[in-house]
Amino acid sequence: MMLHIPGVLSRGDAERLRQAVDAAEWVDGRQTVGAQGARVKQNRQLPENDPNTRALGQGVLEAVRRSPLFMAAALPLRFSDPLFNRYESGETYGLHVDGSVRLASSGHVRTDLSCTLFLADPETYDGGELEVVDTYGVHEVKLPAGDAILYPSTSLHRVTPVTRGARVASFFWLQSLVRDDGARGLLFDMDKSIQALRAKHGDSEEAVALTGVYHNLLRRWAET
Ligand code: NI
């Protein structure tokens, strides 16, 4: 499942984060990938394991944790430390799949879901679409600053060349309580339907019963 999460950061917070990120020192993005990724990756990143990157990344994680939509869809257990990337002057990241396990400051994280938080508005650069390939074809993503896209880390994806301006984003991976994308998607659909039922009819007996089913399925499928 791919999910657009609007307004993870307000316009003001996105702008402040962008300024902090712009002021930091950038390094070659190939430092954080394996051999296959290094052949197709051309961009810059903030240095991993750097206190400033960590502090900015914590701000990103706090923001996504405040988003009910993100939490309901991702059911996160553990996060990688967020990184920041910048593409300009034709830079691109060719088709690849992300590594399956990342070592984060909190320990190992199985990468079930990938998340990109956009920090540049689409009209400020050309190219730089995130293209994600799944069983239904290729999806192109280019979102306003402050919005995020969540997609399965099992997907092949690329970032097309940036031919004008700069594409700046934060990205991270997470291990979900529910490993299977299909099972997690069912829970998310059920959660949305329960919320809609409650909005329409209040806490009816049926809504309470369905909430019980939701939690019992989550109890059955959750791995911690
Ligand atoms: Ni990737």
Side-chain angles (χ1 to χ4, degrees):
M1 172 189 42
M2 281 188 78
L3 184 70
H4 170 194
I5 302 166
V8 168
L9 291 177
S10 68
R11 301 292 302 169
D13 284 348
E15 181 55 34
R16 275 185 286 281
L17 180 57
R18 171 68 192 268
Q19 283 171 7
V21 163
D22 279 350
E25 198 180 310
W26 294 82
V27 297
D28 190 324
R30 280 173 293 200
Q31 289 185 3
T32 54
V33 285
Q36 193 271 330
R39 276 195 294 275
V40 292
K41 186 177 187 183
Q42 298 164 30
N43 69 3
R44 284 183 295 156
Q45 286 181 191
L46 293 192
E48 222 180 347
N49 306 319
D50 175 84
N52 185 45
T53 309
R54 283 279 162 83
L56 296 173
Q58 276 311 309
V60 169
L61 293 187
E62 281 163 23
V64 294
R65 284 197 187 100
R66 284 195 299 267
S67 163
L69 183 60
F70 175 91
M71 294 302 284
L75 298 172
L77 173 65
R78 277 194 281 277
F79 293 90
S80 74
D81 300 305
L83 294 170
F84 296 83
N85 59 17
R86 178 182 193 94
Y87 297 78
E88 57 194 328
S89 314
E91 286 175 327
T92 180
Y93 195 168
L95 201 63
H96 67 281
V97 70
D98 295 336
S100 48
V101 179
R102 303 260 329 164
L103 183 57
S105 50
S106 57
H108 286 93
V109 177
R110 186 187 63 229
T111 57
D112 295 326
L113 286 166
S114 304
C115 186
T116 297
L117 172 65
F118 289 79
L119 295 175
D121 276 317
E123 58 274 17
T124 62
Y125 61 100
D126 289 332
E129 286 86 4
L130 171 66
E131 290 186 350
V132 181
V133 184
D134 73 9
T135 47
Y136 297 108
V138 180
H139 306 274
E140 265 192 13
V141 185
K142 191 170 177 177
L143 299 176
D147 286 15
I149 186 84
L150 191 64
Y151 61 97
S153 304
T154 49
S155 323
L156 282 168
H157 56 279
R158 76 174 110 216
V159 176
T160 64
V162 172
T163 54
R164 176 186 65 91
R167 177 198 194 268
V168 179
S170 177
F171 62 102
F172 60 88
W173 294 272
L174 67 91
Q175 180 168 337
S176 177
L177 283 164
V178 178
R179 177 200 293 238
D180 182 72
D181 197 59
R184 195 185 323 106
L186 283 174
L187 285 170
F188 181 50
D189 286 344
M190 191 171 190
D191 191 355
K192 282 185 295 186
S193 298
I194 292 170
Q195 300 306 330
L197 262 181
R198 291 179 63 202
K200 229 176 182 174
H201 305 293
D203 276 324
S204 62
E205 213 174 291
E206 292 80 3
V208 172
L210 280 173
T211 304
V213 175
Y214 173 88
H215 282 286
N216 289 334
L217 282 173
L218 180 55
R219 205 182 326 274
R220 180 170 289 230
W221 290 336
E223 302 164 50
T224 58

